[in-house]
Amino acid sequence: MKINGVAIEDTFAEAFTMRVARLLITGQTLGWAKEAAVKLTGFATSVIGCKCEAGIERELPDGETPDGRPGVSVLFLTMDKASLPEQLIVRVGQTVLTCPTTACFDGLPDAPDRLPVGKALRVFGDGFQASKVIGGKRYWRIPVMEGEFLIEETFGMLKGVGGGNFLILARDADAALAAAEAAVAAMTGAPGVILPFPGGVVRSGSKVGSKRYSNMIATTNDAFDPTLKAVTQSQLPEVVNSVLEIVLDGTDGPSIEAAMRAGIRAACRPGVLTITAGNYGGKLGPHHFYLRKILG
Amino acid sequence: MSDAVTLTLATQPTHTLVADCIAADRFAGLGATAIAALPVVHGGRPATLGEFFRVRGERASVVRIEGDCTRIDGIGTGMVEGELMIDGSVGRDLGLAMSGGRIDVRGNAGANAGGAPAGAARGMTGGEIVVRGSVGDEAGARMRRGLLVVTGDGGRGMGKGMIAGTVVLFGNAGPGTGRFLKRGSIVALGEVERPATFRYACTYRPPHVALLLRYLGSRCRLDVAAAQVTGRYERYSGDLAELGKGELLRWVGA
């Protein structure tokens, strides 16, 4: 299969079930809402080192937010149920509570699993906090020096999908980067999907474990490192000199598929030779995204 | 089972009619005959609901009342859930000690709407009451939770002794509004006289008020001005003669 002359490998991306929450952060301006969201989702690229993965899903116009102010939607994922509230409480407390003008709302109101994020953060009010029930939902008003920080008492948690991916094999680094940027642009704002890595792109794809260091849970994916072609069992064709990876997390499989479809099509441009995907032979993750099926 | 139970006032009571049997959740399990047989008190004498209302529909937790019920007290008493829509004015004790559900009055309401029974410590403990008109004295008195919205004017002592919950008043407040408030919020969009035992805190844009007013605009289709949603409010803490954890929020414009 080829798109714009770029070969689509007959393989699949292997992804995992994760726990996901969606936060709606609003502010007096979109700029302040984004400021909080960027800080909130900082250092949240991979569960390997960050214990969570997070990113901005999309910007929300005034009419789509609970309080009628501009905002952003953020997805937050962890590998297990227990660590999601832990991460959210710490991060929202340090990045959204602290950010001028912001408020924080649940973006998964129908999810039966509830995380007591606002309930935990309320104690910052030192007894001066107050709650309000509006439309059946409880909100906490936490007094702060600026005025009040408003946060919903609980946030919904669903089973999500983490680790959707595809790799861009290119003739050189410039072509790989241009293709990756085009893919990210095509996927930005896709509903139910985030790209947790810097700019949505990963240059250091990893393999499980290490050939040399027993304490390492992940090390460089030497099979796809162009500089190691001559000394390792490389999976790269001779003409490939740079590889970049796009990693996608989301609320569900169809959302990931739709984003991958848009991203891969956008990445098929001059200088790109092959699009492939990372997997573990299908043994580790229950979600398999077959590239040719998605693009067919 | 019907979509709704409709009570149409067929015989205007000659005296005060206490109809505290009218509650949306209570009708959910009753047929039309059983609803008509529910007991009421007319001028101190026992009677039945059917003597005054024509009943249409059965076994529904959405109840509509048609007619001028100014002489009918206690509608929605102890309501737990469901929806009660009243197309006309009602007497005193609307939603007395209710704990859930929603009451929507397209008219005025008498005294003690959302309040407590005589001698009881707590008024309404949940649910929502929307009065698209004015209310009598001591509306929301001793309320513990819930929401009382009045689009017209408030009487004397509105929210008196509130323990928690929220009162939103679009019109002017009567004297003594918020006195003995322990916790809870009174949002005053019209004129309000601040009790002497409330102390000014600041002027700000309370985020929960914006959220609440937007909710009232969308859910209850109330006419809420954008300047009220995004506007500034003076916050008075009180009643400092009580716990002092309550607040009077007075809208001062955009």
Side-chain angles (χ1 to χ4, degrees):
Chain A
M1 182 183 202
K2 286 197 170 189
I3 297 175
N4 298 336
V6 177
I8 307 298
E9 265 201 14
D10 187 11
T11 187
F12 62 94
E14 187 171 350
F16 302 88
T17 298
M18 295 179 79
R19 305 290 161 169
V20 61
R22 176 186 277 135
L23 282 67
L24 311 181
I25 299 167
T26 64
Q28 187 165 306
T29 62
L30 180 61
W32 278 115
K34 282 172 81 171
E35 191 66 38
V38 167
K39 289 286 188 289
L40 173 69
T41 58
F43 188 58
T45 54
S46 166
V47 290
I48 295 171
C50 312
K51 309 303 176 196
C52 64
E53 297 182 9
I56 293 175
E57 182 185 16
R58 65 191 182 101
E59 295 176 4
L60 302 170
D62 307 6
E64 280 189 43
T65 60
D67 62 2
R69 302 189 301 167
V72 292
S73 167
V74 169
L75 293 182
F76 224 96
L77 298 98
T78 59
M79 290 304 290
D80 59 272
K81 279 184 176 183
S83 53
L84 189 51
E86 287 170 10
Q87 286 291 326
L88 283 175
I89 289 164
V90 171
R91 285 171 175 260
V92 172
Q94 294 302 310
T95 61
V96 188
L97 167 66
T98 55
C99 183
T101 79
T102 58
C104 192
F105 303 99
D106 172 35
L108 296 174
D110 298 326
D113 272 345
R114 309 301 300 172
L115 308 176
V117 180
K119 190 175 182 179
L121 289 173
R122 80 189 196 285
V123 295
F124 181 76
D126 198 21
F128 296 103
Q129 71 273 14
S131 75
K132 284 290 164 207
V133 176
I134 301 172
K137 296 178 186 173
R138 185 174 294 280
Y139 300 86
W140 282 98
R141 301 165 53 194
I142 302 173
V144 290
M145 293 192 300
E146 178 207 40
E148 279 180 359
F149 172 59
L150 188 70
I151 182 168
E152 208 159 324
E153 178 167 76
T154 63
F155 287 71
M157 174 173 68
L158 292 175
K159 280 184 179 174
V161 179
N165 69 81
F166 61 91
L167 289 89
I168 300 164
L169 280 54
R171 195 178 305 279
D172 55 47
D174 290 345
L177 188 61
E181 287 173 348
V184 168
M187 291 186 286
T188 298
V193 172
I194 57 162
L195 311 174
F197 282 90
V201 188
V202 190
R203 70 170 176 181
S204 58
S206 59
K207 67 177 181 289
V208 176
S210 162
K211 293 175 179 173
R212 187 178 177 119
Y213 307 106
S214 58
N215 62 327
M216 293 294 288
I217 57 171
T219 54
T220 189
N221 191 3
D222 52 85
F224 284 86
D225 291 349
T227 57
L228 302 180
K229 255 191 281 188
V231 294
T232 191
Q233 202 160 18
S234 181
Q235 291 190 31
L236 298 179
E238 197 62 35
V239 288
V240 170
N241 290 294
S242 184
V243 178
L244 289 174
E245 183 178 2
I246 306 289
V247 172
L248 307 90
D249 296 336
T251 52
D252 55 273
S255 297
I256 300 259
E257 278 185 12
M260 283 178 70
R261 187 178 304 117
I264 292 171
R265 285 189 188 282
C268 291
R269 45 184 289 140
V272 177
L273 303 162
T274 306
I275 300 291
T276 185
N279 64 61
Y280 311 94
K283 293 174 186 166
L284 295 181
H287 305 281
H288 301 158
F289 300 104
Y290 288 86
L291 301 185
R292 290 186 178 180
K293 191 177 165 195
I294 288 172
L295 295 161
Chain B
M1 188 173 171
S2 321
D3 291 339
V5 173
T6 303
L7 301 180
T8 306
L9 188 64
T11 306
Q12 187 65 241
T14 52
H15 304 283
T16 298
L17 180 71
V18 179
D20 55 6
C21 61
I22 301 177
D25 54 312
R26 224 163 286 153
F27 286 12
L30 297 178
T33 310
I35 292 171
L38 285 170
V40 295
V41 177
H42 182 225
R45 294 183 178 174
T48 62
L49 195 61
E51 291 173 45
F52 299 92
F53 286 96
R54 191 168 66 248
V55 180
R56 279 181 290 147
E58 57 184 5
R59 299 181 206 288
S61 59
V62 175
V63 177
R64 294 195 180 92
I65 302 178
E66 298 169 345
D68 178 16
C69 300
T70 310
R71 278 191 166 164
I72 302 177
D73 294 351
I75 294 175
T77 294
M79 202 165 104
V80 175
E81 61 184 353
E83 206 164 339
L84 187 53
M85 291 170 288
I86 304 158
D87 195 10
S89 296
V90 297
R92 58 173 296 134
D93 296 339
L94 172 75
L96 193 75
M98 71 183 279
S99 60
R102 188 162 173 271
I103 300 177
D104 193 331
V105 180
R106 294 180 182 274
N108 301 322
N112 204 34
R122 293 177 173 186
M124 65 187 286
T125 57
E128 298 175 6
I129 298 177
V130 177
V131 178
R132 297 165 196 264
S134 297
V135 289
D137 295 344
E138 299 196 359
R142 287 175 280 167
M143 69 187 278
R144 175 66 182 84
R145 283 190 204 92
L147 173 65
L148 171 63
V149 181
V150 178
T151 64
D153 295 335
R156 302 168 69 88
M158 192 171 195
K160 183 178 171 184
M162 270 174 72
I163 305 162
T166 305
V167 170
V168 180
L169 180 62
F170 282 75
N172 298 326
T177 292
R179 287 193 63 181
F180 310 123
L181 189 70
K182 292 181 173 68
R183 295 188 198 84
S185 307
I186 296 177
V187 181
L189 299 167
E191 291 299 318
V192 61
E193 182 186 308
R194 175 177 63 88
T197 45
F198 276 60
R199 187 179 296 158
Y200 174 74
C202 69
T203 302
Y204 77 130
R205 300 179 199 277
H208 73 286
V209 172
L211 198 65
L212 175 60
L213 293 180
R214 277 177 58 83
Y215 169 73
L216 293 178
S218 60
R219 173 72 174 87
C220 307
R221 306 243 176 261
L222 292 184
D223 192 14
V224 182
Q228 292 168 330
V229 175
T230 60
R232 293 174 304 124
Y233 288 77
E234 289 176 347
R235 184 177 199 264
Y236 297 93
S237 295
D239 187 330
L240 298 176
E242 288 282 348
L243 275 180
K245 290 190 170 183
E247 64 183 354
L248 177 60
L249 294 166
R250 190 171 81 88
W251 180 56
V252 291

